[in-house]
């Protein structure tokens, strides 16, 4: 009807069709306000209702306890790579576990601000797995431990929540938030760029336990980077990214309508299982990662021959599957199958893989 | 047709009707990509064309010379209040001229980073005018001079570009950018939150002379706050606010279609002249500002009686004029008549003012 294609982009990525249709239908006049959401004063009654409803839905869908703040910020996960040490360092020590490119960037950025310890990494194994609990060299007096829960580029995911004792656990969930139920109480802070499972780019979610917030930070910390200030102003210290917050609300309504995160998980698990099964049957393509560390959102695969990989990318694009080319640091292919990717998209990709393999045996 | 109203919000504010219609029409499938702009990888060919075209149009419409970078950032003007001293301080000295609330906030934030001097303020006159050149106490060895070119809350605007000698001039143009031609070469840096004249909230424009950029900043500066890094990566160090950038492109096309900033200025001048003339004729309402310092974008007015002001706000809202209530720090009324406010909206407001005055004489 709209000539839409299956978009396997790692992010920004697909949004649910019904969400886009609602955004389109409300573009000229939203909720009888006589204006688009993009035109509303962020202090207006209509918009105030939108942001409050969105936060409330976020809390409901993710079962976020009352002693956690939900912040709607800007700057992406990359901005939080600095904000987290600037806000959470007290003694000056933090432990980082590096399992891919973004956790590596977070680790590097944090070094500007304190004594940052590499508690574990699987770099020597090309990030094909998540370290086990007994491999983590954690310091009991660290201010926090930082992990990236799902590694978008390498297609791996933590299959357990690491035990960090009394040290708060901080997790970048940019590419897996809202994909399955998560026990928020196990984390001190969860953050996510919105552009994969939540909303269009330009919105960053921070879920933080209240006792970790402190308004009195080192003098050099920009006011806009102070989580306590943002929390005290309900994410309205200045104009927030109003439109992505509105779309986030529509996405949360869609998830709730499907049955919440339990139902979302079942759908996502079925999609991922099907694609991994297809790759296990394949003689041409392989997923390089440990089975236990497989991501449910980003599925990487490659043939031994780069020529075959290039051919697959080219022919799949011509067949209406976009963005299957893997990240330049990994090569091969990557299918990002976030919440909004319909099961039919994964079915069609599996069929295409089989057809391609038959033609290129 | 859409039951839209005249929205006098100070920001976020009206967008041109044709821009909203195009965004709506392209929502499900933009430029035959099979997806919404909100779903596109920022590294995709289609999106790369969108951001490059937008930058190119920005340069064309504003006549930006080649030795200036145009950056698409996040965080609003408030984030730049810290970014500017973090990026531009060398000797550690900067001069600030405070002519309203936002320049006051910028002045306060800068004090975290250096020796910040108040070069002039009209606070004692309730910010009803812009200081004259001979009132500016500028230091010849400052790293920059900061001004806010249009004061959204108080409804004043610089009617001249101050002479700062060899010291770069930095201007917050959040509420007047794209409203008239500006000689960019007179400025070292121009910045603007997009949510008034440019695009929906979540995008911040920085136009900066290349020689002012330096990658090697103090260690505490977050990577995301380093203008040189953002410039070196063409605003793609991480995922930019893709959708607001796209809408910015549509707005620029609309301005170009009207005849560019010369034509835009004529339209804006005519709207503002009409409203100020109406207020001058009024016996009930007054604009408090010096004639030379009047803003073309934000027109404040009030009656002596707060009861009359409240009544006007209430009755105007009921008559379909939204957001006419003045900022809480000023009281009375404020009509923000940015680029997208049609002349008919100002005509209708003038008629309403006259009618209200006749009924409340």
């Amino acid at each position: 009807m709209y000539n839409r294609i299956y978009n396997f982009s790692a992010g920004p990525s697909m949004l649910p069709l019904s969400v886009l249709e609602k955004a389109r239908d409300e573009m000229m006049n939203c909720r009888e306000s006589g204006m688009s959401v993009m035109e509303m004063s962020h202090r207006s009654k209509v918009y105030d209702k939108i942001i409050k409803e969105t936060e409330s839905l976020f809390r409901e869908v993710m079962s976020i306890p009352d002693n956690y703040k939900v912040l709607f910020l800007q700057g992406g996960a990359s901005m939080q790579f600095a904000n987290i040490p600037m806000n959470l360092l007290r003694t000056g020590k933090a432990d980082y576990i590096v399992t891919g490119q973004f956790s590596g960037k977070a680790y590097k950025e944090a070094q500007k601000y304190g004594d940052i310890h590499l508690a574990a990494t699987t770099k020597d194994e090309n990030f094909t797995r998540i370290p086990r609990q007994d491999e983590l060299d954690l310091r009991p007096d660290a201010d926090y431990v930082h992990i990236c829960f799902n590694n978008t580029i390498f297609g791996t995911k933590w299959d357990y929540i690491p035990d960090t004792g009394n040290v708060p656990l901080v997790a970048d969930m940019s590419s897996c938030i809202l994909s399955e139920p998560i026990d928020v109480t196990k984390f001190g802070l969860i953050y996510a760029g919105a552009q994969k499972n939540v909303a269009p780019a330009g919105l960053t979610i921070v879920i933080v336990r209240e006792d970790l917030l402190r308004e009195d930070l080192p003098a050099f910390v920009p006011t806009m980077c102070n989580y306590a200030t943002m929390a005290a102003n309900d994410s309205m210290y200045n104009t927030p990214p109003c439109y992505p917050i509105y779309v986030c609300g529509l996405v949360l309504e869609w998830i709730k309508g499907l049955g919440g995160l339990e139902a979302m998980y079942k759908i996502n698990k079925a999609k991922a299982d099907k694609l991994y099964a297809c790759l296990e049957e394949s003689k041409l393509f392989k997923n390089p990662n440990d089975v236990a560390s497989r991501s449910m959102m980003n599925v990487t695969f490659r043939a031994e021959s780069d020529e075959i990989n290039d051919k697959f990318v080219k022919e799949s694009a011509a067949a209406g599957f976009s963005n299957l080319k893997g990240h330049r640091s990994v090569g091969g292919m990557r299918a990002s199958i976030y919440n909004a990717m319909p099961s039919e998209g994964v079915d069609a990709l599996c069929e295409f893989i089989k057809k391609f393999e038959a033609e290129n045996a």
Side-chain angles (χ1 to χ4, degrees), chain A:
Chain A
M1 165 182 185
Y2 305 117
N3 282 322
R4 285 172 55 84
I5 60 173
Y6 293 124
N7 174 11
F8 293 91
S9 169
S13 46
M14 288 188 85
L15 284 163
L17 194 68
S18 62
V19 165
L20 289 173
E21 285 175 330
K22 183 148 194 199
R24 177 199 61 191
D25 294 345
E26 294 187 332
M27 181 64 84
M28 311 306 294
N29 184 349
C30 178
R31 299 189 180 190
E32 297 178 13
S33 63
M35 60 185 87
S36 169
V37 176
M38 295 196 262
E39 303 175 296
M40 284 177 192
S41 166
H42 58 298
R43 310 275 180 205
S44 65
K45 275 182 197 157
V46 185
Y47 192 76
D48 192 62
K49 199 158 180 287
I50 289 174
I51 192 169
K52 287 216 168 81
E53 282 174 4
T54 302
E55 185 191 330
S56 165
L57 264 171
F58 224 116
R59 291 183 169 281
E60 180 186 343
V61 166
M62 276 192 71
S63 304
I64 299 171
D66 286 346
N67 64 325
Y68 284 74
K69 292 283 186 188
V70 176
L71 306 179
F72 298 112
L73 305 178
Q74 296 185 60
S78 297
M79 187 73 240
Q80 312 318 312
F81 294 168
N83 286 357
I84 285 161
M86 288 197 294
N87 278 273
L88 300 190
L89 284 178
R90 302 284 180 265
T91 70
K93 289 181 180 180
D95 292 350
Y96 276 66
I97 301 168
V98 173
T99 54
Q101 186 163 310
F102 288 100
S103 48
K105 283 191 175 187
Y107 169 59
K108 192 177 167 212
E109 184 81 359
Q111 287 169 34
K112 292 168 174 261
Y113 305 102
D115 166 12
I116 309 301
H117 168 62
L118 184 63
T121 181
T122 48
K123 186 163 192 249
D124 289 348
E125 295 162 67
N126 203 26
F127 299 125
T128 50
R129 68 174 184 91
I130 298 298
R132 297 181 311 274
Q133 176 79 45
D134 64 18
E135 293 177 293
L136 310 181
D137 179 32
L138 300 173
R139 298 182 295 185
D141 59 342
D143 290 323
Y144 64 91
V145 176
H146 180 280
I147 63 172
C148 180
F149 210 61
N150 184 84
N151 300 288
T152 322
I153 291 176
F154 294 92
T156 60
K157 185 188 166 256
W158 286 75
D159 57 317
Y160 69 102
I161 296 176
D163 180 0
T164 57
N166 289 323
V167 180
L169 180 60
V170 172
D172 178 353
M173 292 203 183
S174 293
S175 50
C176 62
I177 195 167
L178 299 179
S179 66
E180 63 180 327
I182 281 285
D183 183 353
V184 174
T185 65
K186 296 271 199 277
F187 298 85
L189 188 151
I190 291 169
Y191 67 105
Q195 66 271 17
K196 293 153 199 293
N197 261 342
V198 183
L203 170 64
T204 314
I205 307 290
V206 170
I207 302 163
V208 57
R209 221 175 59 209
E210 276 175 346
D211 64 286
L212 297 176
L213 296 177
R214 198 176 71 180
E215 192 115 22
D216 177 30
L217 297 179
F220 63 78
V221 178
T223 304
M224 283 292 293
C225 295
N226 188 319
Y227 289 148
T229 302
M230 294 302 118
N233 287 278
D234 294 325
S235 306
M236 289 271 209
Y237 175 79
N238 73 339
T239 314
C242 298
Y243 198 71
I245 292 170
Y246 155 76
V247 177
C248 170
L250 300 182
V251 167
L252 290 164
E253 275 173 23
W254 173 77
I255 292 173
K256 191 179 169 183
L258 289 174
L261 290 186
E262 286 288 356
M264 198 74 252
Y265 169 71
K266 279 182 195 153
I267 297 167
N268 285 328
K269 181 79 167 42
K271 287 188 293 183
D273 282 352
K274 182 169 283 181
L275 186 48
Y276 281 117
C278 166
L279 294 171
E280 273 167 16
E281 282 170 27
S282 170
K283 288 192 173 58
L284 193 56
F285 299 114
K286 288 278 166 282
N287 169 276
N289 299 328
D290 261 25
V291 172
S293 301
R294 281 174 177 168
S295 167
M296 193 168 65
M297 297 281 103
N298 311 97
V299 180
T300 60
F301 57 101
R302 60 182 304 163
E304 276 176 38
S305 146
D306 278 341
E307 200 186 322
I308 288 288
N309 291 326
D310 291 346
K311 194 176 179 208
F312 185 91
V313 168
K314 203 172 285 177
E315 292 186 8
S316 64
F321 304 92
S322 84
N323 290 299
L324 280 170
K325 191 174 168 135
H327 190 269
R328 57 190 179 280
S329 62
V330 178
M333 278 73 70
R334 172 180 50 178
S336 294
I337 50 174
Y338 297 118
N339 286 355
M341 171 60 68
S343 301
E344 296 76 27
V346 174
D347 293 345
L349 176 60
C350 290
E351 276 170 44
F352 183 83
I353 289 172
K354 282 172 192 158
K355 180 169 154 283
F356 181 91
E357 185 159 347
E359 288 166 5
N360 295 274

